[in-house]
């Protein structure tokens, strides 16, 4: 069994307008889908990514205005790592300074330059200068020049106290392979490409438990090429004694969910049908899109949602 890697990552924010201003206007990501949380249609579900909303580039948010502040800790997905070209480190240091975004000094990890910083809610983010990003065209539709644009995910770091149990899920059910380690970090890689292939386990035994809230990640979704591949992964997980939900239709992909032994919520999402199913590719994110069963309630939903500009 093989996995193409990360499909998307979903996090929690407080203010939807500030969220858009940061991820679209500061980081230069494309807002590729503006919809609502299908389980809580009184709040947005915002999707950011590359020009086409390619799996491996999608970071999504539930902006809940009343959400308490979350806390990084044991049993959580924490650092979201974005891939940038190897020659773009200087540009991004200057841009973060110009936009008054606090950041750490660059460090080397696994032979690559990493810049750590946080979003307005305190979520841990990283920019990773990686060779694979050099060959991927950047989106030129933002205030970030295409040559320096974020290409998608370099990967994701999980904070766990039992790396063995989580590693077994990654290798035996999701098709990852362990590649290397450095300090408290152990790296696992998928076989797809070119983005979203890495998952790092950080051994944080003795740390306090994570608390979900604004500035934290709700779940990490892994790619399945189709329903059959997804069912195979789910079958492997159930064989390991892990409860997996039935498939749910999320309009742009079909999903199953489970909680891995370390405590992190995982999703397996199909690549199809994609984000252009209900609006043209050149207009992604322009209008509020609702699934068919919520269309009769559009007027009330739009009235309840805050303005994004």
């Amino acid at each position: 069994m093989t996995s193409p890697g990360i499909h998307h990552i979903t996090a929690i924010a407080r203010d939807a307008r500030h969220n858009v201003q940061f991820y679209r206007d500061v980081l230069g990501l494309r807002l590729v889908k503006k919809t609502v949380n299908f389980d809580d249609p009184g709040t947005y579900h915002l999707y950011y990514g590359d020009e086409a909303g390619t799996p491996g580039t999608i970071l999504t948010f539930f902006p809940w205005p009343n959400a308490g502040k979350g806390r990084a800790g044991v049993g959580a997905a924490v650092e979201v790592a974005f891939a940038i070209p190897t020659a773009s480190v200087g540009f991004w240091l200057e841009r973060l300074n110009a936009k008054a975004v606090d950041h750490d000094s660059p460090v080397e990890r696994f032979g690559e330059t990493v810049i750590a910083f946080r979003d307005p809610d305190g979520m841990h983010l990283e920019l990773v200068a990686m060779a694979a990003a050099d060959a991927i065209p950047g989106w030129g539709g933002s205030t970030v020049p295409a040559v320096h644009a974020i290409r998608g995910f370099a990967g994701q770091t999980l904070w766990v106290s039992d790396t063995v149990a989580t590693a077994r899920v990654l290798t035996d059910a999701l098709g990852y392979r362990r590649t290397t380690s450095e300090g408290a970090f152990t790296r696992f890689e998928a076989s797809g490409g070119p983005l979203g292939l890495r998952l790092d386990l950080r051994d944080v035994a003795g740390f306090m438990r994570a608390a979900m809230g604004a500035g934290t990640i709700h779940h990490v979704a892994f790619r399945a090429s189709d329903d059959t591949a997804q069912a195979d992964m789910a079958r492997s997980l159930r064989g390991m004694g892990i409860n997996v939900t039935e498939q749910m239709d999320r309009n742009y992909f079909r999903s199953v969910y489970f909680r891995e032994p370390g405590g992190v919520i995982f999703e397996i999402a199909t690549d199809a049908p994609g984000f252009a199913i209900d609006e043209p590719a050149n207009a992604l994110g322009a209008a509020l899109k609702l699934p068919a069963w919520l269309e009769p309630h559009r007027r009330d939903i739009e009235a309840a949602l805050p303005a994004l500009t």
Side-chain angles (χ1 to χ4, degrees):
M1 180 184 298
T2 59
S3 168
I6 295 170
H7 184 282
H8 68 269
I9 298 167
T10 294
I12 302 169
R14 278 203 190 97
D15 188 282
R17 185 169 59 88
H18 290 165
N19 187 258
V20 171
Q21 289 173 343
F22 184 78
Y23 285 94
R24 184 191 64 189
D25 301 338
V26 175
L27 295 190
L29 302 179
R30 186 179 188 186
L31 179 61
V32 297
K33 190 63 60 177
K34 182 168 57 176
T35 183
V36 296
N37 184 334
F38 293 174
D39 301 317
D40 178 18
T43 189
Y44 282 113
H45 193 175
L46 304 174
Y47 293 73
Y48 304 90
D50 67 358
E51 182 175 6
T54 308
T57 74
I58 299 297
L59 179 61
T60 95
F61 284 90
F62 300 139
W64 285 319
N66 297 320
K69 183 171 178 58
R71 180 181 67 232
V74 176
V78 181
E79 293 93 349
V80 175
F82 292 113
I84 59 171
T86 53
S88 296
V89 172
F91 169 85
W92 278 102
L93 288 171
E94 292 182 5
R95 185 170 180 84
L96 294 176
N97 287 334
K99 298 295 185 179
V101 178
D102 289 336
H103 60 85
D104 295 346
S105 298
V107 298
E108 294 294 312
R109 188 187 309 146
F110 294 114
E112 296 171 330
T113 301
V114 179
I115 306 169
F117 62 108
R118 301 202 184 189
D119 80 353
D121 289 299
M123 193 168 86
H124 295 240
L125 302 172
E126 295 176 339
L127 296 173
V128 181
M130 52 188 296
D134 294 343
I136 302 170
W139 180 50
S142 79
T143 57
V144 176
V147 67
H148 296 302
I150 288 171
R151 298 325 201 230
F153 293 133
Q156 169 78 68
T157 300
L158 310 183
W159 289 17
V160 294
S161 60
D162 180 359
T163 58
V164 174
T166 299
R168 181 170 175 245
V169 168
L170 296 178
T171 58
D172 294 2
L174 299 181
Y176 277 74
R177 57 188 176 87
R178 176 175 173 167
T179 56
T180 187
S181 61
E182 183 177 298
F185 296 88
T186 302
R187 173 155 293 175
F188 295 78
E189 295 191 40
S191 58
L195 295 170
L197 302 182
R198 301 170 177 174
L199 205 69
D200 291 344
L201 301 187
R202 182 179 180 186
D203 187 343
V204 292
F207 279 36
M208 67 178 64
R209 296 292 301 180
M212 191 171 287
T216 66
I217 293 169
H218 187 272
H219 63 267
V220 180
F222 298 90
R223 293 176 64 184
S225 56
D226 54 29
D227 293 331
T228 299
Q230 182 189 72
D232 287 344
M233 292 181 193
R235 190 177 304 109
S236 295
L237 289 162
R238 293 185 180 109
M240 298 166 64
I242 295 174
N243 291 323
V244 183
T245 68
E246 295 301 314
Q247 189 185 73
M248 301 179 187
D249 184 359
R250 298 309 192 189
N251 227 37
Y252 311 109
F253 42 85
R254 295 175 294 279
S255 303
V256 298
Y257 301 85
F258 64 99
R259 192 181 292 272
E260 58 85 29
V264 184
I265 300 173
F266 281 176
E267 173 184 352
I268 304 171
T270 59
D271 283 355
F275 293 103
I277 190 174
D278 57 0
E279 59 186 338
N282 63 0
L284 289 176
L288 178 69
K289 309 306 294 186
L290 298 176
W293 66 90
L294 288 178
E295 275 295 348
H297 310 287
R298 174 176 285 274
R299 181 176 296 180
D300 291 340
I301 289 172
E302 289 182 333
L305 294 172
L308 294 180
T309 59

